[in-house]
Amino acid sequence: MRNVFLIGPMGAGKSTIGRLLAKELRYPFKDSDREIEARTGADIPWIFDVEGETGFREREEAMIAELVQEQGIVLATGGGVVMREANRRALADNGLVVYLRTSVDQQLQRTSKDRQRPLLQTADPETVLRDLMARRDPLYREIAHLTIDTDQRGPRVVVNTIMAQLDKELS
Ligand SMILES: Nc1ncnc2c1ncn2[C@@H]1O[C@H](COP(=O)(O)OP(=O)(O)OP(=O)(O)O)[C@@H](O)[C@H]1O
Ligand SMILES: O=C(O)C1=C[C@@H](O)[C@@H](O)[C@H](O)C1
Ligand SMILES: [Mg+2]
């Protein structure tokens, strides 16, 4: 069974859509951010605070290397997973990579209520998101087997769109 790996920026809907897609496929759902928290025994803001972003990226790379060994899971990755080449290779080689695309305007709306994203705890999250998008969008595209725009589609419609594409991929 093939793994499905969801990539994309903060607020693209990887966790939300991943959970729904996994139900549809009857695959186990894993969320790399949650797995890192469980393994560390601390939440992501704590890890960034105490170990810095580099400490978090080390934990993330180790977790991705482990998770890609699974067979037949839906995995929601963290927004910055593509920054490391080892992660890009691990994902591209071990599953179908789906890029959930979204605009910075939508990201701002979807992330505004939540304080769990340390990179956005700044006076100017819009500039941060634009800068991250400029650097990461080419990397998401580099490894994506499928790209789905989520701006005009609610989570259920995104899942149906992925399911239709998966049927094509698997037939
Ligand atoms: N297609 C969509 N349309 C409207 N709202 C959405 C859509 N997808 C997700 N959302 C909402 O956006 C918010 C962020 O979604 P989610 O946490 O799934 O993003 P994420 O990609 O996992 O982000 P992160 O990389 O920070 O973990 C949630 O409140 C979710 O309900
Ligand atoms: O875009 C990012 O770099 C991040 C996204 C989140 O999923 C978490 O992995 C963390 O907050 C960092
Ligand atoms: Mg998430």
Side-chain angles (χ1 to χ4, degrees):
M1 274 199 300
R2 206 153 176 216
N3 295 316
V4 180
F5 299 138
L6 302 180
I7 62 168
M10 289 178 268
K14 303 176 295 295
S15 302
T16 308
I17 282 146
R19 208 167 290 115
L20 294 171
L21 181 66
K23 260 197 201 128
E24 200 73 35
L25 288 168
R26 299 197 185 145
Y27 282 10
F29 171 65
K30 302 247 163 133
D31 188 315
S32 148
D33 287 336
R34 302 292 82 79
E35 297 289 322
I36 293 165
E37 290 180 328
R39 182 68 57 88
T40 314
D43 66 7
I44 288 179
W46 186 95
I47 301 172
F48 270 72
D49 244 23
V50 174
E51 301 182 346
E53 181 169 353
T54 309
F56 174 75
R57 297 294 168 210
E58 291 296 322
R59 290 183 182 277
E60 184 175 50
E61 185 176 331
M63 187 52 70
I64 291 293
E66 219 176 281
L67 288 168
V68 298
Q69 303 305 318
E70 305 257 2
Q71 301 286 318
I73 60 165
V74 173
L75 175 67
T77 60
V81 73
V82 293
M83 298 304 286
R84 290 204 171 183
E85 201 201 341
N87 295 337
R88 299 201 295 278
R89 176 135 318 148
L91 294 170
D93 289 351
N94 290 288
L96 188 82
V97 180
V98 180
Y99 173 21
L100 299 181
R101 219 208 60 77
T102 187
S103 62
V104 170
D105 286 351
Q106 276 293 315
Q107 279 184 276
L108 280 168
Q109 285 184 29
R110 293 181 192 172
T111 56
S112 63
K113 290 181 214 114
D114 191 326
R115 306 206 136 259
Q116 287 299 302
R117 298 172 173 95
L119 296 175
L120 301 185
Q121 304 316 304
T122 140
D124 186 8
E126 179 171 358
T127 299
V128 171
L129 286 173
R130 289 202 188 284
D131 176 57
L132 292 177
M133 186 68 92
R135 286 189 283 141
R136 294 174 177 179
D137 178 69
L139 302 174
Y140 295 133
R141 289 180 191 280
E142 179 191 306
I143 60 165
H145 300 115
L146 288 178
T147 300
I148 316 263
D149 204 309
T150 72
D151 270 10
Q152 325 292 339
R153 298 177 167 104
R156 179 49 61 194
V157 178
V158 174
V159 170
N160 292 342
T161 310
I162 298 171
M163 287 298 289
Q165 295 287 338
L166 286 181
D167 277 348
K168 271 191 232 157
E169 291 278 332
L170 301 174
S171 64

